[in-house]
Structure formats: C-alpha cells, structure tokens
C-alpha cells in the first residue's frame, strides 16, 4: 500500500469538494420532486420508472440513495478537517470526488430535461469516475475507522449502486428505441445481469471491499422484486436477478473475510 500522509493542502480544493457535495444533494431534491422538479420516475417519458423495462429495480431500491447522499455529505465535511487536508490519500481522491458529485447532479438535470440518451452517456462517465475512485482507494490504506466508513464505505456503495443503475439506464434507452432483446428478452436480461454480477465479483476480488458488493446485490435483489410484483412480471428475470444477487453478496463477504485474515498481525 502507498503511504498516505504528506504536507497539508490549502482550503480551495476541499471547499470545492464541499460545494460539489451540496450541488449533488440539491440535485437529489430536484430529482425527487420535493423542490418542484419532475420526479425521476416521471421524467424522460417514464422510461426510468420501476415497470419500464425488465432490468428496472423496484421503487424500494432507491432508498439506498439516502444512505449514499448522507455519506457524501459526511465525506464533504470530514475531508475539510486539518488532518484530512494533510492526507495524501484525500489529496489524490478529491478531484475524482468532485467529478463524481457534479456528474451525479448533471445526470439528474439531463433526465429532468427529458434527454434519455444523454443521460446514459453521463452515467457511463460517472461509473468510470467511480471505478477510478475504487482503484485509488484500493491502492491506499484507510487512515482509521472514520476513513474506512466515510470514504471507503460511501464511495463503495456509490460505485456498486451506479453499476446496477447503469444497467437500468441502458435498458431504458434501448427500450425507448424499440429494442426487443432480439426476441429473447428474458435470456438477454439474464445475460446482462450475469455480466453485472461478474463485475461485482471481480471488484470484490481486486479490492477486498464489501460496500460495492452490498450495493450491487441490493440493486439486483430489487430487480427481482420488481419482476415478481409490478406491472412487468417475469419469473425468469426475477430468478436470474436473485441468483446474481446471492453470488455477489456471498463473494463479497467471503473475499472480505479472506482479506481481513491476511492483514491480521502474526
């Protein structure tokens, strides 16, 4: 692991992180419709609602956003502390954190405008930024329990959830374009879910972090719920989503425990 402490940094970039966190949270309120904007489920002709495509999670899945936004707010404030301004780990992370939070707000604004195709481009870039954050965090050691929970926990959940959100967004764009899954929608949806599960297992293997697996398995499980209880019922997709959720969760737990044993002192 790399060393994570060096000379302190000024306030400009940490304050930019805080401002970006506030922008992301305000964007979330707009996306919920609380501040007068159109709820995400109703925007873009309803293609992002829970019954729009076979890969859309049920409504309950989106509760995870409350935890992610709480974590982003906590991180935005915590990284302002003097000790964190001296942290090399935080210094290399801040630019990507700013990009992720601003992209999150941009995605909401794009969807509010009804630009479904552009929303896919934005969320793919967001996923790439979160993947970079995951790599940066995997290369450095957390500087205590607070760092583990606030930094690794928050961005791990964020990465895992945006992985499944990207799948749902892609499915929505294809559905809006009239794509029928080559006449085999269940088989294609199952293959996509298996690919998402493979990403989750690979993430757990490479980084040994549990949070991404928790968020990804959460999203997969809620896809299963949506296909069993909603306007677009599909037992086949529900079964595939359940199996994938279980695989990701078990792999995440096992690989995290293995990593923990390797790091115990002799």
């Amino acid at each position: 692991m790399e060393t994570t402490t060096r000379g302190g940094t000024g306030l400009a970039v940490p304050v930019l992180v805080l401002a970006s966190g506030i922008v992301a949270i305000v964007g979330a309120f707009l996306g919920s419709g609380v501040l007068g904007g159109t709820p995400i489920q109703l925007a873009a002709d309803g293609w992002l609602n829970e019954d729009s495509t076979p890969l859309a999670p049920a409504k309950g899945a989106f509760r995870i956003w409350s935890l992610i936004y709480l974590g982003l707010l906590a991180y935005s404030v915590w990284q302002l502390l003097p000790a964190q301004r001296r942290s090399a780990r935080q210094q290399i992370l801040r630019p990507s954190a700013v990009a992720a939070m601003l992209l999150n707000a941009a995605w909401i604004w794009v969807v509010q405008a009804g630009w479904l195709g552009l929303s896919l481009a934005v969320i793919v870039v967001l996923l790439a930024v979160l993947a970079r954050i995951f790599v940066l965090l995997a290369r450095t050691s957390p500087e205590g329990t607070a760092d583990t929970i606030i930094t690794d926990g928050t961005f791990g959940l964020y990465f895992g959830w945006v992985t499944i959100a990207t799948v749902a967004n892609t499915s929505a764009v294809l559905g809006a374009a009239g794509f029928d899954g080559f006449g085999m929608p269940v088989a294609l949806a199952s293959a996509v879910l298996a690919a998402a599960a493979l990403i989750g297992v690979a993430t757990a293997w490479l980084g040994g972090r549990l949070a991404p697996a928790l968020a990804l398995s959460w999203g997969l499980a809620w896809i299963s719920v949506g296909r069993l209880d909603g306007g677009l019922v599909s037992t086949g997709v529900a079964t595939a989503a359940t199996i994938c959720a279980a695989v990701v969760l078990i792999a995440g737990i096992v690989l995290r425990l293995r990593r923990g044993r390797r790091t115990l002192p002799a």
Side-chain angles (χ1 to χ4, degrees):
M1 290 291 184
E2 298 175 4
T3 56
T4 57
T5 303
R6 66 184 185 197
T9 187
L11 275 171
V13 178
V15 169
L16 178 59
V17 173
L18 177 60
S20 301
I22 293 171
V23 169
I25 292 169
V26 170
F29 276 105
L30 287 172
S32 68
V34 172
L35 298 181
T38 304
I40 291 297
Q41 292 81 3
L42 300 179
D45 295 326
W47 279 105
L48 294 171
N49 71 41
E50 58 186 332
D51 294 324
S52 59
T53 72
L55 296 177
K59 187 176 180 180
F62 300 97
R63 295 171 188 156
I64 196 173
W65 274 121
S66 297
L67 186 57
I68 292 172
Y69 284 127
L70 180 62
L72 290 176
L73 179 60
Y75 173 77
S76 298
V77 174
W78 178 77
Q79 57 86 40
L80 278 169
L81 300 177
Q84 308 318 315
R85 296 206 306 272
R86 293 191 297 270
S87 168
R89 191 178 202 233
Q90 298 306 323
Q91 289 183 46
I92 62 174
L93 177 61
R94 283 188 183 99
S96 296
V98 168
M101 291 187 283
L102 293 181
L103 282 166
N104 198 101
W107 183 86
I108 292 172
W109 296 332
V110 165
V111 172
Q112 291 275 337
W115 299 331
L116 187 61
L118 183 56
S119 75
L120 178 58
V122 174
I123 202 170
V124 167
V125 176
L126 172 58
L127 181 62
V129 171
L130 291 171
R132 172 172 171 73
I133 289 174
F134 173 79
V135 171
L136 292 175
L137 294 178
R139 288 177 176 174
T140 56
S141 298
E143 299 170 354
T145 302
D147 194 16
T148 299
I149 295 172
I150 296 174
T151 306
D152 295 78
T154 296
F155 287 103
L157 289 176
Y158 200 2
F159 180 36
W161 171 251
V162 170
T163 299
I164 202 65
T166 302
V167 169
N169 203 153
T170 303
S171 181
V173 171
L174 292 175
F179 180 65
D180 66 352
F182 302 112
M184 300 180 294
V186 173
L188 182 60
S190 299
V192 172
L193 292 171
L198 182 61
I199 292 172
V201 172
T203 299
W205 178 271
L206 295 173
R209 304 297 201 272
L210 183 57
L214 290 175
L216 181 55
S217 60
W218 168 271
L220 289 166
W222 279 100
I223 289 176
S224 178
V225 172
R227 300 295 71 77
L228 292 175
D229 182 21
L232 189 59
V233 174
S234 174
T235 305
V237 175
T239 301
T242 300
I243 293 171
C244 289
V247 168
V248 171
L249 183 59
I250 292 170
I253 292 172
V254 170
L255 292 170
R256 182 69 187 95
L257 291 175
R258 285 184 59 187
R259 181 184 178 90
R261 285 197 296 269
R262 287 199 301 267
T263 56
L264 288 174

